[in-house]
Amino acid sequence: MHMKKKKEDKTESVTKRKLKADISAAFPSLTADELTELVPNKEELNVVKIYAHKGDALTLYVLHKNPLFFELEKRLYPTVYVLWRYPALLPTFRTWPPVLQKLVGGADLMLPGVVVPSSGLPEVKRGDCCSVTLVNNRAPVAVGSAAVSSGEMRSLGMKGRGVCVLHAYMDNLWAFGDKSAPPSLPDAEGEGLEVNGEEYEADDIEEEEVEKCEEEEQEEQEEQERTPGAKVTNQARSGLEELSLAEQEEERGDGEEEANQDDLKMPQEIMDALLLRCFLHALKSKVKKSELPLLTSTFLRNHMFSCCPSGTQLDIKKSSYKKLSKFLQAMQKQHNLVRVRELTKGVESIVEVDWKNRELRYFKVPEETDDEASPAPDRGDGAEPPYRPPEITALYSVSSRLEPLFLDAKKRKGTILQPEEVRHIVTEYVKNNELVDENNKNYVTINPTLCDCLLEKSEYQEVESLKWDDLFSRALGRMQECYQVVYPGHAPIRKKGHMEPIDISVASRGSNKKVTLIKNLEVYGLDPAAVGTALQRRVQASSVLQPIPGSKDKVLVQIQGNQIHQVGNLLIDHYQIPRKYIQGLDKAPKGGKKK
């Protein structure tokens, strides 16, 4: 779950009483004392407003910096922080620990992965709020709604989607709080396990059931791709997986400041996740027992850095921890993964690793790192580290002017859509309102709504119909442009406006000396130092990195001579950056190469 904070207010007593009433109505099993403990009368409770990526407004209720409940479509859901205190609050479905990684990545809980207790499945109706736990621990790790009723689950032979997951341990809603780990709550039925009605030993069937769950999920995804409109439906169901930067246009005054805060926050969350991934990977595949005690600085330099995925760079200063010592303290206190000691004054070492820790035991080493471990193919330009470009997708946000056109599809102002979704919604609107020209089906008759949304004032009396292509282009042209960028190994990031291009320019230095300047490499996950080194080898000219005035985290690459031709070849052919995201290629010398 990615999120953007809109505003935060102290709740008044009236709001607090209403919240208690809503919680009591939604979760009647809570006693009056438990309700008071959850929402203390004298404690400060904050309300945080956020927007989901489909434009849905959500409300978080936060106490002591931990989100307790979130409200979506006028319905309350508890967070894992509440469920760890009251694990029996919701009907619970159990699954295997390896499935947790799938849930954190945005997947729903598939029925083949459900571990059925001896007492049978909990009785739920479709849409009921429920939680997900792991075998041998009653502490919930995910919250969602039942995709089908219990009876349907049984009649379907425990195949298909079981729980539509809205929030999970280690997602960004969890990271909004104190980032504590689930408590250990022994599961009395953990030994008598049943999978689809038959008893087994956990170690014998765990791996097999996880594979079945993955196969089921893959089959459902393929079915969705074959079914028209399924993609849109699936995105709507997973609306909490990703929170966007879409805001109301009338709030733009505060929007710039909030966007700046978000730009600072998102890299921190990404870096925190990257740190944890590299840490677990290093412990599982790099560190040996015989190496302990191991200097923390050596562990970072020799092990964690080598586990960093291609196209990314590990930088602790850009994380919320800021220092390696604080990160390792968190791994020790919250996750119980390692024990760190100061064996020499001022020098810390890892003295112990809990190799049986569940989080470490079930961590799956990313496949891409196997490729990184093997030698990179010789491309003739040096041994730069492997790189994969980000996936960039153009998106569009519903504007206030076009909102009437999208109301039938329940898409409000600020909702972010893909171009094909826009075309689908506009097409359905035209068909439902019978606006296709009877004499020429290539044209669409303009009704009052289309007139207000798509025509200029000077066209009101003149234009009575439009071609389909003109209709779509006008609709997209009157929406706010956005984009989605997916860096390898990270969750999608959505922002307003255009993706900033890599800028290549030529400047004069002294008498008849020219230098080539390359900016914005970081936006595409490129390391400026690596790019500078690669160029230096290609053209046999010196290169330097220089800070960009007014920017704290960005640098530009400067290399001697007009090297635009070589820079373009490197970016397009080697790094696979699309030409449309590179600005300044037209300034290359006509003769080709020039040193």
Side-chain angles (χ1 to χ4, degrees):
M1 182 186 289
H2 288 258
M3 51 193 203
K4 174 173 179 60
K5 188 188 293 185
K6 178 189 172 192
K7 59 184 178 181
E8 186 170 330
D9 299 314
K10 295 180 181 177
T11 43
E12 299 174 356
S13 57
V14 176
T15 308
K16 194 176 288 188
R17 285 199 298 271
K18 181 180 181 304
L19 175 61
K20 282 188 174 182
D22 290 344
I23 295 173
S24 180
F27 311 104
S29 61
L30 286 172
T31 65
D33 290 341
E34 289 172 336
L35 196 57
T36 302
E37 183 183 346
L38 264 178
V39 188
N41 295 323
K42 296 183 180 180
E43 296 284 347
E44 182 182 299
L45 185 72
N46 292 333
V47 177
V48 182
K49 301 268 186 176
I50 56 178
Y51 285 112
H53 83 291
K54 301 298 288 182
D56 300 320
L58 290 91
T59 304
L60 298 185
Y61 295 95
V62 184
L63 179 70
H64 299 149
K65 297 184 179 181
N66 274 348
L68 301 181
F69 294 89
F70 61 93
E71 187 175 337
L72 172 65
E73 296 179 349
K74 298 183 179 180
R75 183 175 181 183
L76 276 179
Y77 295 88
T79 66
V80 290
Y81 292 108
V82 167
L83 293 177
W84 291 342
R85 293 163 65 181
Y86 305 101
L89 185 62
L90 299 176
T92 299
F93 292 88
R94 290 190 303 166
T95 188
W96 303 106
V99 177
L100 176 59
Q101 278 189 302
K102 300 287 183 182
L103 303 183
V104 174
D108 292 330
L109 178 62
M110 309 305 289
L111 289 174
V114 173
V115 181
V116 183
S118 56
S119 57
L121 288 171
E123 290 302 319
V124 295
K125 298 176 183 177
R126 182 174 185 172
D128 280 0
C129 188
C130 48
S131 64
V132 179
T133 64
L134 303 180
V135 170
N136 295 327
N137 191 355
R138 292 186 301 111
V141 294
V143 182
S145 58
V148 291
S149 67
S150 303
E152 289 175 299
M153 292 180 189
R154 287 187 282 266
S155 65
L156 290 170
M158 295 302 287
K159 291 183 179 180
R161 193 180 304 272
V163 178
C164 299
V165 176
L166 299 175
H167 154 55
Y169 163 58
M170 291 183 73
D171 69 5
N172 283 358
L173 180 55
W174 165 82
F176 190 88
D178 61 14
K179 301 181 183 179
S180 53
S184 180
L185 305 177
D187 187 353
E189 294 191 2
E191 296 176 0
L193 301 176
E194 286 190 21
V195 180
N196 297 343
E198 300 180 22
E199 290 195 5
Y200 293 94
E201 289 295 325
D203 290 339
D204 295 336
I205 48 87
E206 181 173 333
E207 191 171 322
E208 179 184 345
E209 291 304 318
V210 172
E211 288 178 0
K212 284 184 183 178
C213 188
E214 291 176 349
E215 290 172 5
E216 185 79 18
E217 186 179 355
Q218 182 65 30
E219 288 175 9
E220 183 153 329
Q221 287 177 352
E222 291 173 357
E223 179 64 28
Q224 287 172 356
E225 290 174 2
R226 291 193 295 267
T227 306
K231 185 176 182 181
V232 177
T233 306
N234 191 48
Q235 287 179 342
R237 182 177 58 245
S238 59
L240 274 180
E241 288 177 19
E242 181 182 332
L243 302 173
S244 77
L245 302 177
E247 291 187 26
Q248 305 299 330
E249 290 181 5
E250 57 266 23
E251 293 173 355
R252 281 187 179 176
D254 297 328
E256 292 181 6
E257 182 179 348
E258 291 170 4
N260 290 337
Q261 291 175 352
D262 196 63
D263 287 342
L264 291 174
K265 183 177 180 181
M266 291 306 296
Q268 274 197 354
E269 293 174 353
I270 292 172
M271 192 56 67
D272 285 355
L274 183 60
L275 269 174
L276 181 58
R277 170 180 166 165
C278 295
F279 175 77
L280 292 171
H281 183 186
L283 287 183
K284 187 155 189 174
S285 62
K286 304 288 184 181
V287 178
K288 299 177 181 178
K289 290 183 182 180
S290 58
E291 292 184 71
L292 300 179
L294 178 66
L295 289 175
T296 56
S297 57
T298 304
F299 174 67
L300 175 67
R301 184 176 62 251
N302 294 349
H303 300 307
M304 285 185 66
F305 280 157
S306 63
C307 294
C308 194
S310 61
T312 60
Q313 189 172 3
L314 202 60
D315 190 342
I316 293 178
K317 291 182 180 179
K318 291 182 180 179
S319 71
S320 62
Y321 302 100
K322 304 301 181 188
K323 294 181 179 179
L324 177 62
S325 57
K326 288 187 177 180
F327 170 72
L328 292 175
Q329 283 175 13
M331 295 301 101
Q332 176 174 305
K333 294 178 181 178
Q334 296 177 12
H335 298 263
N336 298 316
L337 282 160
V338 294
R339 197 155 59 90
V340 180
R341 266 191 191 174
E342 195 174 284
L343 298 179
T344 308
K345 189 175 181 180
V347 180
E348 291 186 334
S349 298
I350 297 174
V351 296
E352 188 178 330
V353 176
D354 183 4
W355 306 104
K356 295 181 180 179
N357 183 286
R358 280 187 169 271
E359 203 167 350
L360 180 61
R361 196 171 147 207
Y362 293 115
F363 175 77
K364 190 175 181 181
V365 175
E367 292 180 3
E368 65 173 288
T369 52
D370 296 336
D371 298 333
E372 291 164 21
S374 61
D378 185 11
R379 300 174 186 256
D381 53 7
E384 299 112 323
Y387 166 82
R388 285 188 294 159
E391 295 178 13
I392 304 163
T393 307
L395 301 172
Y396 295 86
S397 173
V398 177
S399 61
S400 56
R401 180 175 176 178
L402 263 67
E403 189 174 24
L405 182 58
F406 290 85
L407 282 180
D408 290 347
K410 297 181 182 179
K411 306 300 180 185
R412 297 284 180 180
K413 177 183 171 183
T415 302
I416 294 180
L417 303 169
Q418 295 189 7
E420 55 267 27
E421 292 179 84
V422 177
R423 293 176 68 94
H424 175 75
I425 292 171
V426 172
T427 302
E428 289 301 307
Y429 176 86
V430 171
K431 290 181 179 178
N432 293 338
N433 289 274
E434 299 179 350
L435 298 177
V436 179
D437 193 315
E438 293 181 358
N439 298 322
N440 188 343
K441 294 188 177 181
N442 292 325
Y443 284 83
V444 174
T445 303
I446 302 298
N447 69 353
T449 299
L450 291 178
C451 178
D452 292 341
C453 292
L454 303 181
L455 299 186
E456 301 294 340
K457 288 184 179 180
S458 60
E459 298 176 318
Y460 284 179
Q461 304 300 324
E462 299 176 3
V463 179
E464 296 181 353
S465 62
L466 291 172
K467 282 188 174 182
W468 280 102
D469 287 344
D470 194 10
L471 190 75
F472 294 137
S473 63
R474 284 176 182 247
L476 292 172
R478 283 160 177 76
M479 298 178 74
Q480 182 170 16
E481 291 191 42
C482 309
Y483 66 89
Q484 172 179 285
V485 56
V486 182
Y487 297 100
H490 295 300
I493 299 171
R494 290 184 172 184
K495 292 188 177 183
K496 290 181 180 179
H498 295 277
M499 183 78 171
E500 200 173 8
I502 295 175
D503 181 71
I504 308 172
S505 60
V506 176
S508 298
R509 295 286 187 269
S511 59
N512 297 325
K513 287 187 178 180
K514 295 186 181 296
V515 292
T516 302
L517 309 175
I518 308 119
K519 301 177 185 176
N520 302 329
L521 293 168
E522 300 93 338
V523 176
Y524 296 80
L526 285 166
D527 180 6
V531 173
T533 302
L535 281 171
Q536 196 169 343
R537 290 182 180 138
R538 281 197 172 205
V539 301
Q540 296 300 305
S542 63
S543 67
V544 294
L545 301 182
Q546 292 186 350
I548 298 176
S551 177
K552 295 181 180 178
D553 301 322
K554 292 183 179 180
V555 296
L556 62 81
V557 177
Q558 175 182 304
I559 188 162
Q560 287 183 353
N562 186 334
Q563 309 293 355
I564 291 180
H565 184 75
Q566 291 286 1
V567 173
N569 288 343
L570 179 70
L571 294 176
I572 295 170
D573 298 336
H574 179 58
Y575 290 115
Q576 304 294 306
I577 302 294
R579 183 179 288 269
K580 64 181 178 179
Y581 295 115
I582 304 174
Q583 179 177 286
L585 292 176
D586 55 323
K587 298 172 186 174
K590 294 181 181 179
K593 300 180 182 179
K594 185 177 180 180
K595 295 185 182 180

